[in-house]
Every structure is written in C-alpha cells, then in structure tokens.
Amino acid sequence: MRGAGREASGRGVRCPPASPLAAAAMALLHTRRLLAAPRLAAARASSWWSHVEMGPPDPILGVTEAFKRDTNSKKMNLGVGAYRDDNGKPYVLSCVRKAEAMIASKKMDKEYLPIAGLADFTRASAELALGENSEAFKSGRYVTVQGISGTGSLRIGANFLQRFFKSSRDVYLPKPSWGNHTPIFRDAGLQLQAYRYYDPKTCSLDFSGAMEDISKIPEKSIILLHACAHNPTGVDPRQEQWKELAAVVKKRNLLVYFDMAYQGFASGDINRDAWAVRHFIEQGINVVLSQSYAKNMGLYGERAGAFTVICSDAEEAKRVESQLKILIRPMYSNPPLNGARIASIILNTPDLRKEWLVEVKGMADRIISMRTQLVSNLKKEGSSHNWQHITDQIGMFCFTGLKPEQVERLIKEFSIYMTKDGRISVAGVTSGNVGYLAHAIHQVTK
C-alpha cells in the first residue's frame, strides 16, 4: 500500500496522494528556493555588517536568565548587584518617595539641564564626598559635573584623562576590579595595567603585594582605587593601610582616580566610607573622583552620578570645567533631570537628609547582619572551614572563596545562582533563605 499515501500522525486516517498539479507546484517552489539561496548568501556577504561577530553574553545577565528559568521554589539569585529588602523585594527609600512627591507638587518643568548638570546637585555631591569642612571644597578648587550614574561619570573622567593627561596612557587597576572598569578605560583610548590587591588563599587584602606593585608603578601614571566596598571582593584597606597607600602614591607622584559607588552603603556611615578620599586630598594628592547614587539612594534606573576633579586653585577648576563641558556636549549634550532632582532635594533638605542617613544605615546594617547570620549558620551546619572573611569583607558583594566546581554544584543541586568566581551579592540573602544557603554551601565544601 505504498502508493496510497501516509497515515496522519495519531489518527489512523490515510492522506490522499498529491495531485500532479500540486506536485508540480512543490517542485517549482523547491527550484526557486535553490536559485534564491546563492542570492541570499551574496546579499549577506555584501552587507555592511557581515563581519560583525556575535559578542559574548554578559556573565551576570546569564546568571539571571538561568535563575528565571529555574522552577525550584527555593531558588536564589545572588548575582545581581541591587539591594533587596528582607523579603527579597526591590526597595524604594521613603526619603526618595517624599522627594518625588515634592517634585510632583511643584509641577516642575522638563527643560534641559545645563551641560554640567543641576548645580544644586553637583555642589551637594562634592560636599558629600569631600566633607563640608574640606579646604578643597571651601576654597572652590574643585569642579564637579553631573554624570550618568557611576558608569557615565567614570567614562567622563576616562575621556578627560585621555585628552588632557599627557604624562601617561597607563591606568593601573586592582586585581580583580569591577568588570566594567576595563572597557570604560580601554574604549576611552587608555592602556590597562594591574597591581596586586586580593589574595585568594586568605580571601583578604594582599597588602604587601599591593604596596610592592604600587611602589614600582612608573611615576605620573594613573591608579584607580575603590574608595570603599571594593567590588567584587568586598575587601577594603584599614585606615592605617590607607595611610601607607597614600604615602607611596604621593612618593610615586601618581594620579589617583577614586571610584566611590557605595558611600554610606558600605559601613552605614557616609564619613567613614569617604575617609580614604578625604585623607588623600589632605595629604596634598589632587585626586579625580566618580560617584554614584544607585546603591546608597536606590536610584538605579535614574542614573544619577557625578565626576569631580580636585585642582590646584579655583581658576584652574574653571578651566577644567570648561573642557569637561566640551567633552560632554557631543557625548550626550546634558544629563538626565529626574534622578539629580531627587538626590539634590534629599541632600539639601535637612529633614530628608537626616531620614536618608537613617535609611542608608539600615540598608548597610541588613547586609552586615546577613554576613553574620551566614557565618553563624555555617557553624551550625558543622562546617570546619574558617569563614571569617565573610564578616571581614564589607559592602554588597562577598568573595566567598568557593571554587568554580563548587559553584556549579550550588546551581545544579540547590538552585543557588552566582558568578563562577564565587562572588555573591549579599543583598540577595534574607533571614528566610540564609539557612538554606548555609546548608548548601556546607554540602559542597565539606
């Protein structure tokens, strides 16, 4: 019965044989496809973008996508660097809601900001970073421009250094550093170098290695320092170590680029978190500085940030500001309005500023508490490992010391997602899941 046609799947009904007309039509269609294939291939080959290769996926985005696909009710996403409350939910600060209400009640316009940004915001940002009693701040020998959060502010600085810092093209980053630092400086035309910072054997600061490497950096090079809550390790120098670092940096006559994305969020104290920046300036080291309000005000999507240059005097600051404006104009003309308004109102309204300081300390304290609870639960599980580095580290991120194969087991066996290097966002840990996390870590490390 071969010529009688095929049975329809699952129905037991025989399909009638194709008519000669239908068969001819199918043959013609097939011929056209064959003829079209070379033309399509030629069109692709002649495309302007045929040489563009598929880029590698973002490692953190990949973690999030895998997490979303997972159906385990106990799953945890410890990859994303955004604060969550103790219920694992995004958190909007009360002071932010109040600032937004004030903006709405005033029915403010949506006109362009100046190229350098909202003046009340940039002044308040400089005061927050430098301190109200800072000589550099009071004398006006600084310039601060608004940037598109921390990333955009870093890029303004990178472009400025590429154009005006003639002594060197080398930027020395700590090993490791935030993943975006490398493309920010590289794409601005600067050369990336590195100095030792983190010791994976002890999960702590390799201070002697850092000091040795920094002491050998060629004079008048650029060095990047994380002001607080080093990302990704959570390992910060102590104040006495910062003093030694400042001394060697000054001796080598290095240009210091501070990245301060976590002021207030690291320890809960805005002055403590800015201590290194202020100490370097007090030692006569004229730094450049990037700030972000993503973490400490929860303004992630508002993209509020600032870039500051400490100059020798107010007149030099005016010249630098003029050139920063010339750099910014073709990049994005002027910065976003809403986030700067929110941050400015909070920083410049005494009651809201006071409320913010309480709220940012609350966020920092929850992160610190989760670190303590994780170590406590690991001990309860019977772990014989030393987990002190988890509580010694600070800020949103923790380098757990977990190996890639252990991370793989956490993902496959427990649905706990993180990057392969063992970095976790402590913000993803809650009082409801910290016990489960400790149990899982113990299982893969015992």
Side-chain angles (χ1 to χ4, degrees), residues 161-178:
L161 296 181
Q162 191 278 332
R163 183 169 294 184
F164 292 103
F165 191 71
K166 301 301 184 183
S167 302
S168 175
R169 283 287 175 267
D170 289 332
V171 180
Y172 286 78
L173 301 180
K175 290 191 294 188
S177 197
W178 180 43

Side-chain angles (χ1 to χ4, degrees), residues 13-267:
V13 178
R14 296 186 181 278
C15 297
S19 69
L21 183 62
M26 290 297 292
L28 179 61
L29 180 61
H30 181 65
T31 302
R32 285 178 175 175
R33 284 176 177 168
L34 290 175
L35 291 172
R39 291 199 297 269
L40 287 171
R44 289 194 187 101
S46 64
S47 167
W48 295 114
W49 316 120
S50 59
H51 63 287
V52 177
E53 298 177 358
M54 179 63 70
D58 184 280
I60 296 175
L61 184 61
V63 170
T64 300
E65 289 174 349
F67 169 80
K68 287 179 178 178
R69 291 192 299 268
D70 198 315
T71 57
N72 187 343
S73 62
K74 292 184 176 181
K75 66 181 182 178
M76 296 176 66
N77 185 358
L78 304 181
V80 180
Y83 182 78
R84 297 291 182 262
D85 65 17
D86 201 43
N87 295 312
K89 303 297 183 183
Y91 178 63
V92 180
L93 279 65
S94 175
C95 61
V96 169
R97 293 294 193 205
K98 290 176 181 178
E100 288 177 322
M102 290 172 66
I103 292 168
S105 67
K106 292 179 181 179
K107 297 182 178 179
M108 303 170 83
D109 62 45
K110 300 290 185 182
E111 293 294 299
Y112 291 126
L113 281 176
I115 296 172
L118 187 65
D120 288 345
F121 169 78
T122 55
R123 188 181 189 283
S125 295
E127 182 181 352
L128 180 67
L130 307 180
E132 61 183 349
N133 296 318
S134 161
E135 176 275 326
F137 178 74
K138 291 194 292 187
S139 67
R141 63 178 185 93
Y142 74 93
V143 53
T144 300
V145 296
Q146 184 180 333
I148 303 174
S149 201
T151 300
S153 302
L154 282 162
R155 185 57 189 265
I156 292 170
N159 282 26
F160 178 74
L161 296 181
Q162 191 278 332
R163 183 169 294 184
F164 292 103
F165 191 71
K166 301 301 184 183
S167 302
S168 175
R169 283 287 175 267
D170 289 332
V171 180
Y172 286 78
L173 301 180
K175 290 191 294 188
S177 197
W178 180 43
N180 219 13
H181 280 147
T182 292
I184 286 170
F185 288 102
R186 181 194 62 211
D187 290 357
L190 299 172
Q191 303 296 319
L192 276 300
Q193 308 293 342
Y195 61 92
R196 280 175 285 175
Y197 186 86
Y198 176 77
D199 184 352
K201 293 179 181 178
T202 61
C203 298
S204 62
L205 179 66
D206 182 4
F207 183 66
S208 60
M211 287 291 289
E212 182 180 354
D213 285 358
I214 294 170
S215 69
K216 296 176 182 177
I217 293 177
E219 291 189 10
K220 298 182 179 180
S221 297
I222 304 161
I223 183 171
L224 183 129
L225 298 170
H226 298 234
C228 60
H230 180 276
N231 180 1
T233 69
V235 173
D236 286 353
R238 299 188 305 273
Q239 287 188 3
E240 288 304 312
Q241 292 173 323
W242 274 122
K243 290 179 181 178
E244 292 186 53
L245 286 167
V248 70
V249 162
K250 187 173 183 178
K251 184 178 180 181
R252 299 302 297 166
N253 194 20
L254 305 178
L255 174 66
V256 176
Y257 197 144
F258 270 112
D259 183 3
M260 185 157 64
Y262 298 91
Q263 186 181 3
F265 190 94
S267 69

Side-chain angles (χ1 to χ4, degrees), residues 352-398:
L352 286 185
R353 185 185 179 102
K354 185 177 179 181
E355 185 173 351
W356 170 60
L357 293 175
V358 172
E359 288 190 279
V360 74
K361 187 177 188 304
M363 290 192 292
D365 286 349
R366 195 188 87 72
I367 296 291
I368 293 167
S369 173
M370 287 303 104
R371 290 178 178 274
T372 303
Q373 288 185 45
L374 178 55
V375 172
S376 176
N377 276 275
L378 281 163
K379 289 178 181 177
K380 287 179 184 176
E381 288 287 331
S383 177
S384 59
H385 294 286
N386 180 4
W387 298 102
Q388 184 180 336
H389 60 276
I390 292 177
T391 50
D392 285 346
Q393 295 170 15
I394 195 168
M396 182 173 288
F397 299 109
C398 170

